[in-house]
Amino acid sequence: ATAASVLPTTTFISNSGLEGVGSLLFNETFVPAGYWSVGETDFSRIAVETGWLRVVIKSPGNIAWVVNSYSAEDFYFQGLMQMSACQLGDYAGLVFRQQDDLNLYLFGLACDGRYRLVRRVNGEFQFLIDFTFTPEAATGSEAANLLAVRAEGRQISLYVNDQPVAV
């Protein structure tokens, strides 16, 4: 799956149904691109191009992610996601509460409108919410979706296009 072909937003998009989000602390425009670990492996290519973080998975069944150094305990985090040519099994999303590559959370959305929440602990994947369909998602190739995570303590709430899908 690859990221985007439309222009990203450069302003904070408030979740219309979410009280207490607070003020914007960080807005990533990918300019300069230096905060991201980009490069190519046998499995993926990760690059910042024209204001977007692009992740290309080279063969089915692989997964790749990249993070920057910004972190917080309690937060509201959103990102605009778009995949180009969707194939069965493709999904993309947000990585959060990342301690290292072996310990993190992933909130992803598939091309067919199914989302999932995965926790990685000591390198082992735990599917906290396995693929679940939401009608809130735009589906198919080139569809753009705004994903968001609100984390307060142990409570994690997930949003697709400003609508709660798991609270």
Side-chain angles (χ1 to χ4, degrees):
T2 60
S5 64
V6 297
L7 292 176
T9 181
T10 58
T11 59
F12 177 62
I13 301 171
S14 177
N15 184 303
S16 57
L18 191 59
E19 295 295 322
V21 170
S23 60
L24 176 66
L25 299 176
F26 180 77
N27 181 38
E28 179 60 81
T29 61
F30 301 107
V31 178
Y35 295 106
W36 296 90
S37 298
V38 297
E40 190 162 355
T41 70
D42 291 341
F43 307 107
S44 67
R45 183 178 71 79
I46 300 172
V48 174
E49 300 169 351
T50 61
W52 285 87
L53 177 67
R54 296 184 189 274
V55 179
V56 177
I57 303 298
K58 295 181 178 180
S59 58
N62 288 312
I63 185 172
W65 59 83
V66 62
V67 297
N68 69 15
S69 61
Y70 194 84
S71 66
E73 289 298 314
D74 293 343
F75 57 86
Y76 176 76
F77 170 43
Q78 66 183 21
L80 183 63
M81 177 201 78
Q82 182 184 34
M83 290 187 279
S84 57
C86 290
Q87 298 177 5
L88 184 62
D90 286 352
Y91 75 103
L94 306 174
V95 173
F96 62 99
R97 287 197 171 158
Q98 187 250 6
Q99 297 171 2
D100 52 41
D101 278 347
L102 300 177
N103 298 280
L104 49 82
Y105 286 84
L106 301 145
F107 169 40
L109 182 67
C111 293
D112 62 2
R114 295 176 303 138
Y115 68 92
R116 76 175 176 183
L117 177 63
V118 179
R119 182 177 179 199
R120 191 165 194 211
V121 178
N122 297 323
E124 297 294 321
F125 290 100
Q126 302 171 352
F127 300 94
L128 303 178
I129 300 173
D130 209 352
F131 282 119
T132 302
F133 178 76
T134 177
E136 308 303 337
T139 60
S141 297
E142 303 298 332
N145 287 282
L146 182 66
L147 302 185
V149 173
R150 183 176 186 169
E152 293 180 294
R154 297 183 62 158
Q155 177 69 38
I156 296 173
S157 302
L158 308 175
Y159 300 83
V160 175
N161 296 322
D162 283 336
Q163 300 303 310
V165 295
V167 179

